[in-house]
Each structure stands twice: as C-alpha cells, then as structure tokens.
Amino acid sequence: MTHNLMHLLPEIFLLTAACIILLIDVFSKDLDRNLTYRLSQLALLGTAIICMVQFPDVQYHLYDRHFILDPMAGIIKISVLLLAMVALLFARPYILPRRILRGEYYLLHLFAVLGMMVMVSGGSLLTLYLGLELLSLSLYALVAMHRHAYQSAEAAVKYFVMGAIASGFLLYGMSLVYGVTQEIHLTDIAAFIADNDPSLTLRFGLVFIVVAIAFKFGAVPFQMWVPDVYDGAPTATTAFISSAPKVAAFGLAVRIFGYGFIGVIVDWQGLLIILACLSMLVGNIVALAQTNIKRLLAYSAIAHIGYFLLGILTGTAEGFSSSFFYILAYAIMSLGGFGCLIYLGKGVEDVNTIDELKGLGRKNPWGGLLISVLFLSMAGLPPFVGFWAKLEVFLAVLNAGLVWLAVFAAVMSIIGLFYYLKVVKVIFFDEPESEQKIVAVRGLRLGLGLTSLTVVALGIFPGKLMELCEQAFQYL
C-alpha cells in the first residue's frame, strides 16, 4: 500500500531542517550562534509558507486515518509557527547575556513546534499522544535551560514531575477507552459511542483524559505548576510556553471532545463547567494579591483558561470557534505580555515586581503605551481584541442556554479588571524610581510592536479572524 507523503510535507520539512541545523550547530565556532538562530527562523518561515500553500479546504483522513488534515489543523499550524517566530525574536536578546546554551535553545523550539504540528493533526489516540510527548519533552528542557539559576532548575523539576503525572493520566485514560471500544481512531470511538451505551469504564477513561488535558492547560485544581514555572523559567521560555503550546492544546481538546467523545457530552460538559468556574474564581482572586508581575500573569493565565473553556464546554461548532478565537487572541497577548518584561529589562535584567514598571510612561512613552495596550486587551476592554474574544465566548455560552455561567464569567471579568488596571496605573501615574531611558535592541522593539499592533488591528477588524475560526469547524 503506497502513501502519498505530500500531505506530511510541512512536518517532514521542519524535521529535516531541525536535523540539518543541529549538525551545523555542532560544528559552529560562533559563540552567539547567529547562524543557528537565522536558520531556525528560516525553517519556521519555510514551514509556514508550505502550510499556507497546502492549506486544506476539505477534511482529509490520511495514513490509515491516523492523520487528519482539515482547516482547523491548517490554521493552528500556521498560527503556532508565527507565534514561535515572534517568541524567538524575544528570546534572542534575552539569552545572549546569560549562560544559556544558544544553539540547543533554538533547536528545542523547532522540535516543540514539530510536536504541536503532529498533535493538532492527530486522528488517533496514538498520534495525539506522540505529538504531545514531543512537545512536552522539549518544553521541560527549555524551562531547565538556565542551568545556573536555582529557580529555573526548581521550576523545571516541578514542571517535569507534574507533566509526567499528567501524561500518565492521559495514557491510563486512553488505555481504558481502548479496552472498552477496541479502537484507537477518534472516528471509530465516536461511532462506538453512538451505537452503544457508554459503560462506566469508558466514563472513567474519559475522566482521566479530561484531568490530563486540564493539567496541560493549567486549569484549577491542576494549576499548581503554572505560577512556579512561569516565575522560575527564563522569561523568554515563559513567553513561548504561554502562547503557542496553548493553541496546540486547544487542537488536542477539540480532537478528543469534538471528534472522539461528542456522544458523551453530558459526561464531560459537567467536568469542564467545574474546571472553568474554579479557574476563573481562583485565577482572578489570587491574582489580586500578587506583587510579582510574572506570577500575576500566571494567575491571569489560569483565569483566561477558565474563560477559554466556556466555548469548548458548549460542544457546538459555534462554541469551538469562539474558543479558538479566544485562545489565538490570548496567545498573542500573552506572548506580548512576557515580551514586555524582556523589553523592560532590555534583555539584560529580569523584571520581577510590578513596582519596577513605575513611571514607565514618562521614561519611555512608546513602550509604556504598547504594554498598556496588551494589559487592557487582557482585561477585555474595547477596542482591543481581548474584548471581542470574551464577547464571543459569552455569546456561545448564552446560546447554549447556560445563562448563569455567562453571568458568573462576566462578574469574574470585572474582578480581573482591577489587577490589569493596577499595572496600567503604575506605568502612567506613579513616579519613576530612576530617570534613565529604556533603549532596547531592534528585535525586542519589533516583537513588542508586532504583538501590540496585532492586538489593536484585530480589535478594530475582528471579522476576518472570526471567519477563519468558523471555517475551521465547518466539518464538525
């Protein structure tokens, strides 16, 4: 049986490029690894171009249905590649002054992206797990990259142990599902559930899978690793972890809930409602007490996952597309948010407390403005993209008839306003502690400008992205 490997071209290209760059890096004499960096960016760009050229208009089930190629996979792959390119823009000035292995750092990005691309096209439990593990192992190493920093090592160990437990849960759940259905393909599992009454064992398996996905997203009560990892990891790594992998994890969630287990929505909908409510509650309330800006962003990330789950738990194409819009918007805002911290430290120092932002609006009006745009967008204020993202998710929940949930989410958003506006207040209304101007390198200015302007542009013209998100789920 012959297979046409053209559909796998983006993945094959990225893997080959990563292997070649790895060999070039081994023989490189340049300590700053300029060549490795440029080739990594080129590899990501080339893969993105191939994905755009090959963009699927219909849904293909390929390679014995282990691989799904559809508009959702296409959009997620392109967005993950672009987010990774911006993350590398932020990472370069950050790791140059530090004792972090340069070449390996860029290569781990490439392998993480490859894992995400495999995961979002997974048509069976096997491919989903393979992609997830390739992504996770790359991220563990990226968190530990700053070997000489105590905090970084501690964060990496926490992340690794938690991640390993989550992977164990996922495998255990998958094995229970396989034991009941005798199938590993998502379409076959869905067909089995449609024909038979789901047994208790199948439901148990589903609970384990939901727990594992909640772990990967960092939803309460499985959020313990998020603040420690966000705070302890190198800021450039945090910027990457908080953006692209979240979009890919959304792909994993949709494949499992939307394609495999849509027949037992009554079982997982209740679980997701609990996770969403707890995440919004704990994330927003604990964030109020934070003085460390990275921890504040970590708890705000937990709250954002709560809002994001609102769309998925409706189980409708409309809900999925609103969640997709939300996670894309959040990934851009979060990448920019951590990018700001690198920008403020000019890549050299680490910015940890909110007080270090005092008077930034006077010292550097342009930087202060861009950072405020990102924070106001995270708060969900118009005319930024964060407002439309929240609106779409709330509408999806209302249309699903869960009015109380939408009201609860809106109240939580109002609490969230407080700590975002606190940061903006510090930037513009507090006296600066030192008068020196911030002059950051070109890559940082470019990255920050790109994310902030995207947030504003998508806020003023959200229609195009919304159409793309709806197009992604026309085959659901």
Side-chain angles (χ1 to χ4, degrees):
M1 187 175 165
T2 56
H3 283 307
N4 176 7
L5 292 178
M6 277 307 284
H7 299 291
L8 271 175
L9 192 62
E11 284 82 357
I12 293 173
F13 175 78
L14 187 58
L15 177 62
T16 316
C19 294
I20 293 170
I21 296 170
L22 186 58
L23 281 173
I24 292 173
D25 184 71
V26 171
F27 296 106
S28 174
K29 295 277 189 292
D30 174 22
L31 276 177
D32 285 346
R33 294 292 195 271
N34 279 316
L35 183 63
T36 311
Y37 168 72
R38 295 203 173 105
L39 288 174
S40 301
Q41 288 284 36
L42 268 178
L44 290 170
L45 182 63
T47 317
I49 291 170
I50 297 173
C51 285
M52 285 174 194
V53 171
Q54 281 202 345
F55 193 81
D57 292 327
V58 291
Q59 191 172 43
Y60 301 103
H61 290 259
L62 305 160
Y63 315 119
D64 297 326
R65 291 177 306 140
H66 282 287
F67 195 82
I68 300 177
L69 200 55
D70 57 1
M72 180 187 94
I75 297 168
I76 291 185
K77 283 176 189 176
I78 293 168
S79 47
V80 158
L81 286 157
L82 296 177
L83 286 165
M85 287 176 72
V86 179
L88 279 180
L89 261 186
F90 283 134
R92 180 148 179 79
Y94 183 84
I95 63 176
L96 284 182
R98 289 173 176 73
R99 292 172 68 186
I100 294 177
L101 292 166
R102 321 253 196 280
E104 288 80 346
Y105 191 91
Y106 306 136
L107 282 156
L108 281 167
H109 268 72
L110 297 186
F111 285 114
V113 170
L114 180 65
M116 294 186 237
M117 291 172 70
V118 172
M119 183 165 79
V120 297
S121 282
S124 69
L125 299 178
L126 211 58
T127 7
L128 287 173
Y129 187 72
L130 274 175
L132 182 69
E133 280 309 283
L134 179 54
L135 164 64
S136 300
L137 291 169
S138 307
L139 293 184
Y140 303 149
L142 276 173
V143 174
M145 270 316 222
H146 201 185
R147 293 170 305 172
H148 306 282
Y150 165 76
Q151 261 192 315
S152 179
E154 183 193 357
V157 171
K158 282 179 181 164
Y159 191 27
F160 175 66
V161 173
M162 293 291 183
I165 295 171
S167 296
F169 273 142
L170 188 64
L171 267 188
Y172 188 53
M174 285 174 173
S175 59
L176 286 175
V177 169
Y178 175 70
V180 175
T181 60
Q182 308 286 304
E183 307 287 0
I184 57 166
H185 292 90
L186 297 171
T187 42
D188 295 343
I189 293 171
F192 179 92
I193 290 172
D195 296 340
N196 305 285
D197 256 355
S199 64
L200 189 61
T201 318
L202 184 76
R203 291 198 169 117
F204 254 110
L206 183 62
V207 168
F208 277 109
I209 291 175
V210 170
V211 165
I213 290 177
F215 245 117
K216 291 295 174 196
F217 275 129
V220 179
F222 309 106
Q223 87 295 1
M224 8 351 185
W225 60 270
V226 179
D228 291 337
V229 171
Y230 276 32
D231 187 23
T235 312
T237 304
T238 312
F240 181 61
I241 289 183
S242 68
S243 54
K246 292 277 196 289
V247 181
F250 165 75
L252 170 74
V254 169
R255 291 282 182 238
I256 286 179
F257 297 135
Y259 285 79
F261 294 93
I262 197 71
V264 284
I265 179 167
V266 282
D267 292 319
W268 54 260
Q269 188 177 38
L271 292 173
L272 291 190
I273 288 177
I274 296 168
L275 289 171
C277 290
L278 284 175
S279 299
M280 291 187 284
L281 187 69
V282 172
N284 280 314
I285 287 177
V286 180
L288 291 176
Q290 299 304 317
T291 53
N292 178 323
I293 185 117
K294 283 168 89 174
R295 287 186 106 78
L296 179 131
L297 283 168
Y299 282 106
S300 102
I302 294 168
H304 279 293
I305 291 301
Y307 302 120
F308 151 77
L309 288 172
L310 295 176
I312 292 188
L313 60 81
T314 59
T316 58
E318 181 208 8
F320 284 138
S321 60
S322 68
S323 263
F324 194 16
F325 187 79
Y326 195 99
I327 204 73
L328 286 175
Y330 168 70
I332 298 167
M333 298 185 294
S334 184
L335 184 58
F338 285 104
C340 299
L341 302 186
I342 302 174
Y343 174 84
L344 293 176
K346 299 186 283 267
V348 185
E349 298 121 34
D350 273 315
V351 175
N352 288 323
T353 60
I354 297 175
D355 289 342
E356 289 175 54
L357 304 180
K358 275 185 178 169
L360 179 71
R362 290 184 206 169
K363 289 192 291 184
N364 186 335
W366 182 234
L369 182 70
L370 292 183
I371 293 168
S372 305
V373 163
L374 289 161
F375 272 90
L376 293 174
S377 179
M378 283 193 208
L381 294 176
F384 307 114
V385 68
F387 168 73
W388 296 109
K390 278 207 170 87
L391 185 67
E392 290 295 337
V393 194
F394 290 174
L395 286 175
V397 174
L398 286 172
N399 293 343
L402 297 161
V403 179
W404 67 272
L405 192 55
V407 171
F408 178 76
V411 171
M412 287 299 128
S413 290
I414 294 167
I415 294 177
L417 271 178
F418 181 81
Y419 56 84
Y420 290 120
L421 292 177
K422 180 170 76 175
V423 176
V424 178
K425 177 210 126 206
V426 167
I427 290 176
F428 283 112
F429 298 105
D430 286 12
E431 290 295 324
E433 286 176 357
S434 73
E435 283 299 328
Q436 77 185 84
K437 294 256 186 282
I438 294 180
V439 184
V441 294
R442 196 174 56 204
L444 281 177
R445 294 202 300 267
L446 178 66
L448 190 59
L450 278 175
T451 45
S452 307
L453 294 176
T454 310
V455 163
V456 177
L458 289 175
I460 301 170
F461 308 108
K464 194 76 194 123
L465 184 62
M466 201 57 225
E467 272 170 41
L468 268 180
C469 294
E470 280 160 8
Q471 181 196 347
F473 298 103
Q474 59 198 15
Y475 298 104
L476 201 61

